[in-house]
Amino acid sequence: MKLQTKLCDLLGIQYPILQGGMAWVSTAELAAAVSEAGGLGIIGSGQAPPEWLEEQINIVKKLTKKPFGVNVMMMSPYMEQVMQLILDERVPVVTTGAGNPGKFIPGLKEIGTKVIPVIPSVAWPSVWPRAG
Ligand SMILES: Cc1cc2nc3c(=O)[nH]c(=O)nc-3n(C[C@H](O)[C@H](O)[C@H](O)COP(=O)(O)O)c2cc1C
């Protein structure tokens, strides 16, 4: 079945299906399987240290040559290092949650990374008062 959309063209994927970034759940193996199947697999970095994410990115790059993403949880204590790693590894797609990724977007766009901030609801600032 043909399901080619503008999103597919933008992200270089076959089907307009993005696997949700899920902390502690969407590891490199899941992300690679989704990307191999034609969607966009996304590693959930949650609050994990950059060393863990680096290992996951290496695994996903071994398992698939197709585009993949990393979800960044903006309240992570390692957020700055995680963003630097994403730049160094030239991760094709970044999704963000739980905060404002604004200051990182110019740098990511400069290397061609597509950035997709996830906005759960207009009520979230009252639920996450510390997030920017
Ligand atoms: C177990 C679990 C963990 C999640 N962890 C994250 C996360 O770390 N970062 C994030 O931005 N969203 C996280 N989400 C939200 C998902 O990425 C997704 O946006 C959400 O589940 C809505 O998609 P759905 O309607 O298909 O479930 C998580 C969701 C689940 C179920």
Side-chain angles (χ1 to χ4, degrees):
M1 183 175 62
K2 188 154 169 53
L3 207 61
Q4 190 82 18
T5 68
K6 283 184 183 170
L7 184 70
C8 295
D9 298 339
L10 184 72
L11 301 180
I13 55 180
Q14 195 180 351
Y15 304 109
I17 296 173
L18 276 61
Q19 169 240 308
M22 293 175 283
W24 309 116
V25 176
S26 54
T27 57
E29 288 80 5
L30 176 65
V34 172
S35 289
E36 271 298 290
L40 186 79
I42 298 177
I43 299 168
S45 65
Q47 302 202 33
E51 295 76 22
W52 179 86
L53 181 59
E54 187 172 13
E55 195 184 319
Q56 295 294 305
I57 291 172
N58 286 336
I59 295 171
V60 87
K61 282 180 174 175
K62 281 198 184 85
L63 294 176
T64 184
K65 297 294 166 236
K66 296 187 178 179
F68 67 95
V70 170
N71 173 260
V72 181
M73 212 278 284
M74 301 305 296
M75 292 173 79
S76 163
Y78 303 106
M79 203 234 311
E80 300 278 343
Q81 296 104 299
V82 160
M83 283 296 190
Q84 188 56 52
L85 176 65
I86 284 169
L87 289 171
D88 295 344
E89 293 288 336
R90 304 187 82 85
V91 171
V93 182
V94 167
T95 67
T96 64
N100 183 350
K103 71 170 179 172
F104 298 103
I105 290 182
L108 291 166
K109 283 177 78 171
E110 205 174 298
I111 62 161
T113 294
K114 305 291 184 291
V115 190
I116 307 176
V118 176
I119 312 296
S121 106
V122 289
W124 76 268
S126 61
V127 182
W128 296 94
R130 290 190 298 124

